[in-house]
Amino acid sequence: MSNKKILILPGDYIGPEIMAEAVKVLELLRSEGEALEWSFGHLGGAAYDAEGHPYPASTQKAAREADAILLGAVGGPKYDELPRDVRPERGLLGIRKDLGLFANLRPALAFDELADASSLKREVIEGLDILILRELTGDIYFGQPRGRRTTADGHAEGFDTMHYSAPEIERIGRVAFEAARKRNKRVCSVDKENVLETSRLWREVMIGVAKDYPDVELSHMYVDNAAMQLVRRPKQFDVIVTGNIFGDILSDEASMLCGSIGLLPSASLDVNNKGMYEPIHGSAPDIAGQGKANPIATILSVGMMFKYSFDRGDIATRIDDAVKQVLKDGKRTGDIAAPGETVLGTQAMGDAIVEALRRK
Amino acid sequence: MSNKKILILPGDYIGPEIMAEAVKVLELLRSEGEALEWSFGHLGGAAYDAEGHPYPASTQKAAREADAILLGAVGGPKYDELPRDVRPERGLLGIRKDLGLFANLRPALAFDELADASSLKREVIEGLDILILRELTGDIYFGQPRGRRTTADGHAEGFDTMHYSAPEIERIGRVAFEAARKRNKRVCSVDKENVLETSRLWREVMIGVAKDYPDVELSHMYVDNAAMQLVRRPKQFDVIVTGNIFGDILSDEASMLCGSIGLLPSASLDVNNKGMYEPIHGSAPDIAGQGKANPIATILSVGMMFKYSFDRGDIATRIDDAVKQVLKDGKRTGDIAAPGETVLGTQAMGDAIVEALRRK
Ligand SMILES: [Mg+2]
Ligand SMILES: [Mg+2]
């Protein structure tokens, strides 16, 4: 079996620091005999600095050849004044589009050791484990026509187009049902079917896809109600599947239920489960270069990579368990430390996780 | 001074029961000398039953002549099989549109006595008092074109149009700034300016409106971040202003922070502050006719009517205080009773509030 090829894109600000800890995990796994190889590339501001473009040709080539991509985080104040089309976020949109990464997987997990850090009551979130599947390449974020026009009575008007085609809905639907099969076999499709035409087609197609998955239960919920239910009783959900804009809102809301977004990984997959994996937190310019950043979300992203792109759920579980172990042992970075707790730096936290992983 | 004319639309299921208690409040105020008169009409399923249409001509006429409208709740299973254009919800959309009710005011209030009923920690919501202003007549819920079409490669596609014109944004902006002036003088405008053209105009216009209100602080927040921040630290907000679809999602999310939606009133205003006032909860078919429904949200809606349409904030405050008093006295309907607490019926709760109001 040939090596799995991983492209590593550390990105900006804390990106390189947290990625260095993820690489320690890869090194351990390779030392155990896993057939892995990796290389490094530039994305975002770092790519602009090095090659004049946030998603340069060199990265493009490497990304296409890789089996999976690990990304740190991109963006930050240094790049805020750049022209819109070379800003770091453009690099992110560029690589997603280039690789056809249409399925964004956003787990919302509560680690029981940190449940008290949430603004929700412990009993509401303890044991929380939901997966939000957001379609990432369509919807109103990309729809044409869009722009500015003048109304019949002479006023400025801004407009955008929401749309989804049946195949776009079907492919994200299949990812949701496949994921649910490996979990608790329940998919909740979120739409606004009572008012949007796009949502009517969305619901029809989901009902059609469900016929191929008789072992998975499909339910439907309006997006406003879903925003309520995530606060009221989040544990009612297993897999939530929704479009780009609703998924943007709901996945961010859900991430906040858990108390620390420093812990949450994410994946963006193409039709063959090739994927890009990254923490949901940003590049944290305020703490960059200080060795303070929490590497856990990046390390859990490595776990997701093994689970979804390499079909190695066993390694993902080992990584998850190693993280749980260090949290249980009371190890904390600054962002998740309660008053009075001893704070570890980025490297010490990474080393602790690698050490726990070695023993699992 | 001529009497203020109120049109009362009890609506469906629990609607008449909760409205009967609101009428007791009106009766007390009239007995104290307030110049009020009211009449009753049909809306929703009740209107369909009585007159064959969810917003019949008789109601239309009375609504146009009224100074303000009190609504119970509409809809329910009895009407689910009706053709789409005579369903109860159509009555609601019809009256909003007919009267030009473009500004939806959704307070999210935590009553300290009930803070433990929230899924959020007491300290996160204690003293919470935010006002969400949702534009109600524009945006993607009404935008044309919309429908179903076939893509170039022969697939079904659903599509909708989001749009806002400068005057539409400006008028809801002014309502927000005026409201903030009577509160804590902070407006947070929520949009998705980084990806939507509609949001770019939205933000430009809001910045323009703010120039007329130098005493009010304007901030901007992306909708996905707002959905997070409402969970993380909801007390950071004073007035939130946003478009129809974002407001639908965020106001429902915010209502859930408070623990019981049985307590939350709402208002929908036209350009002259004529308004329709209603609880945000629905018609609760499961408990209709049993004398169990909580009349508090409807009674608080009466308070909002005095504040916003009749410019009588003093009466609104008396009503709010009366409700707080009965909650402090331990009076609870079933939906807000903790285990072991004595439960009052709809009428007993209404009587208790009237009695408290008499003494304020
Ligand atoms: Mg987001
Ligand atoms: Mg709603």
Side-chain angles (χ1 to χ4, degrees), chain A residues 192 224, chain B residues 106 134 248-249 251-252:
Chain A
K192 191 68 185 173
D224 47 336
Chain B
R106 291 273 300 258
R134 167 186 172 193
D248 191 3
I249 297 169
S251 65
D252 282 343

Side-chain angles (χ1 to χ4, degrees), chain B residues 70 90 109 123 125 143 172 176 188 234 269 308-309 316 338:
Chain B
L70 280 176
R90 281 293 154 143
L109 292 165
E123 64 268 27
I125 59 152
I172 189 77
C188 178
L269 305 182
Y308 290 99
S309 285

Side-chain angles (χ1 to χ4, degrees), chain B residues 266-285:
Chain B
S266 75
S268 303
L269 305 182
D270 77 1
V271 285
N272 300 310
N273 293 324
K274 171 171 171 173
M276 182 161 75
Y277 298 84
E278 57 185 307
I280 69 159
H281 61 70
S283 63

Side-chain angles (χ1 to χ4, degrees), chain B residues 95-217:
Chain B
I95 191 168
R96 283 180 187 161
K97 187 167 185 176
D98 186 39
L99 300 182
L101 306 176
F102 71 94
N104 187 220
L105 283 70
R106 291 273 300 258
L109 292 165
F111 291 88
D112 291 351
E113 288 75 20
L114 299 176
D116 293 329
S118 170
S119 56
L120 278 82
K121 289 178 180 154
R122 174 176 274 273
E123 64 268 27
V124 179
I125 59 152
E126 209 163 32
L128 179 72
D129 176 6
I130 63 187
L131 176 65
I132 299 191
L133 254 164
R134 167 186 172 193
E135 202 287 335
L136 203 55
T137 54
D139 204 353
I140 196 165
Y141 288 177
F142 298 95
Q144 293 290 345
R146 56 165 53 213
R148 190 147 322 172
R149 61 195 174 195
T150 304
T151 60
D153 47 350
H155 296 294
E157 179 174 73
F159 68 103
D160 296 271
T161 302
M162 172 180 278
H163 62 86
Y164 268 117
S165 71
E168 286 177 305
I169 302 165
E170 186 178 334
R171 68 179 184 175
I172 189 77
R174 291 199 182 276
V175 178
F177 281 91
E178 293 290 343
R181 264 195 176 154
K182 296 183 188 165
R183 297 171 44 99
N184 292 314
K185 299 191 167 48
R186 290 185 292 114
V187 169
C188 178
S189 170
V190 171
D191 61 34
K192 190 69 187 176
E193 191 260 355
N194 50 342
V195 279
L196 298 178
E197 295 289 338
T198 309
S199 288
R200 283 199 200 157
L201 182 65
W202 179 279
R203 193 174 285 208
E204 278 178 38
V205 174
M206 283 294 162
I207 290 168
V209 172
K211 298 209 170 83
D212 292 342
Y213 299 85
D215 51 322
V216 176
E217 178 197 311

Side-chain angles (χ1 to χ4, degrees), chain A residues 84 116 118-119 121 146 148 156-158 160 162-164 166 192 195 197-198 204 224 228 231 248 252, chain B residues 116 118-119 121 146 148 156-158 160 162-164 166 192 195 197-198 204 224 228 231 248 252:
Chain A
R84 224 173 239 275
D116 293 330
S118 170
S119 56
K121 290 179 180 153
R146 55 165 52 213
R148 191 151 317 176
E157 178 173 75
D160 296 271
M162 173 180 279
H163 63 85
Y164 268 117
K192 191 68 185 173
V195 278
E197 295 288 339
T198 309
E204 279 177 36
D224 47 336
M228 286 172 85
V231 172
D248 191 3
D252 282 343
Chain B
D116 293 329
S118 170
S119 56
K121 289 178 180 154
R146 56 165 53 213
R148 190 147 322 172
E157 179 174 73
D160 296 271
M162 172 180 278
H163 62 86
Y164 268 117
K192 190 69 187 176
V195 279
E197 295 289 338
T198 309
E204 278 178 38
D224 46 335
M228 284 172 86
V231 172
D248 191 3
D252 282 343

